[in-house]
Amino acid sequence: MSPTALDNFINNEHVKPVHGHYFDTFDPARGIPHSRIPDSTKEDVDLAFAAASKAFKTWSKTSKVERARIMNKIADLIESRLDEFAHAESKDQGKPVELARTVDIPRAAHNFRFFAGRILHSVDEAADLAGVGFSYSQRMPIGVAGLISPWNLPLYLLTWKIAPCIACGNTAICKPSEFTSLTAYMLCSVLQEAGLPAGVVNMVFGTGMGAGQAIVEHPRIPLISFTGGTVTGAKISSVAAPMFKRLSLELGGKNANIVFADCDFDLALKTSLRSSFANQGEICLCGSRIFVERPIYEKFLAGLVQGANDLKVGDPSQKDTNLGALVSKEHWAKVMSYVQLGQEEGGKIECGGQKPTSLQGEFQNGYFLRPTVISGLTPSCRTMREEIFGPVVTIFPFDTEEEVVGYANDSEYGLSCSVWTENGRRARRVASEIEAGTVWVNTWMARDLRMPFGGMKKSGLGREGGNHSLDFYSELKTICLAD
């Protein structure tokens, strides 16, 4: 089967890149090309900006009720094509179809529903300044937003940006990851069918150095939302800050998973297996540094290794598959380099660390890796400090609460942390001391879209979710009327 050719989506039309250049992306499970992606440049971004700028004039004045109606229609259409989107996401990213069907695609639809409801039920501020006048706040759309999304949760995180952006009356130029553009391309037909006006959402496909950089550098794009690596986030910030662009950066993580001896052992172990290896460990919120209180360390390690060995790695279309393939050959090599580094730094590979030997036939060239647990390292080594972003976790014992909080906070990242304890006072105390944007106690990946989400330190800049998203995607104005 020949690769599927995608085109840019500008002004509600599929258009070829200005210079006519494309490149291949690969099916991670098979290691073969499956899509041809436009290699877009500044000229393509300029075309998208012209369409988005024109659409902003009318979309920014469209009523909230009408915006919400269209957004709910988008959600309906995504749900009606659930299986189609799930299979495409799996083929493009490598994840199990079942994960895409139960998490990624439903969440994409929910993003639109949530913000459709949020704009209809938000309340602006008002105050009476006795004897002087009356003041009230008013949210104003900002303009054309640049939305750059990652490859690990492609539709899930792209719609997390699009939904609040257009809910607030802005228009958008989106640049999905060049590794995983298929479901973004499919979303374009949904936007058309839902009746979203031409130019409100535009998709420009291509590389970060090509299309992404052109979006960031565009002098008339006033806000950028980016999810991806910390190095790229720093480059974006260096370009955007002198131009006074509004920035939301959700970047890397090296998250601690703290297990106290008084935890619900079975629940902590079961959830730690998920937080370690879900989506092949390619989630910025995965708990890749596991710290276990010494009295239960050996038991927990044995359970973690057994559980990891029991996970099925292979054909993403099979319902009982737990881990699919890593997103690309290059990323697989990067993750494997950290497995090697962990050994060089004195670590012991308790399980995994290699491709499954059972995969043959169409999957023999796929980018698979068995879930890997490394023990015997020190918290200061590179393997325990640098983001790996794959199915590789380290495990280390601790003796005191103060000690483990120190380990957890001794990181240049601060995205999330999980804490396992049945002691309520300890839970609140440790959660308060952890330097991370989100702390889960006795759970993982419980996301409330009403709450702020973002990272500390090098894990990001700004917060999104609920009113924080509305704040980012709108300009807040105070109007004062004299008595």
Side-chain angles (χ1 to χ4, degrees), residues 247-285:
L247 281 180
S248 176
L249 303 176
E250 199 266 279
L251 307 176
K254 189 71 173 180
N255 310 302
N257 183 13
I258 301 171
V259 184
F260 286 97
D262 68 343
C263 69
D264 180 328
F265 186 90
D266 291 340
L267 178 62
L269 179 60
K270 177 182 177 181
T271 310
S272 294
L273 281 164
R274 190 165 67 91
S275 67
S276 298
F277 304 121
N279 204 53
Q280 305 77 243
E282 296 170 325
I283 301 177
C284 57
L285 299 166

Side-chain angles (χ1 to χ4, degrees), residues 105 111 129 139 351 474:
I105 310 308
N111 286 336
L129 190 56
R139 290 189 182 276
C351 63
S474 60

Side-chain angles (χ1 to χ4, degrees), residues 13-35:
E13 296 180 354
H14 293 285
V15 297
K16 298 186 181 303
V18 170
H19 295 291
H21 297 153
Y22 292 78
F23 57 88
D24 288 337
T25 60
F26 289 74
D27 175 345
R30 295 167 178 82
I32 58 175
H34 81 91
S35 294

Side-chain angles (χ1 to χ4, degrees), residues 111 147-150 156-166 225-227 248 250 464 473:
N111 286 336
L147 310 179
I148 304 175
S149 57
Y156 180 134
L157 291 178
L158 176 62
T159 56
W160 173 241
K161 299 178 186 298
I162 293 175
C165 175
I166 65 174
S225 177
F226 169 80
T227 300
S248 176
E250 199 266 279
E464 294 188 34
Y473 288 104

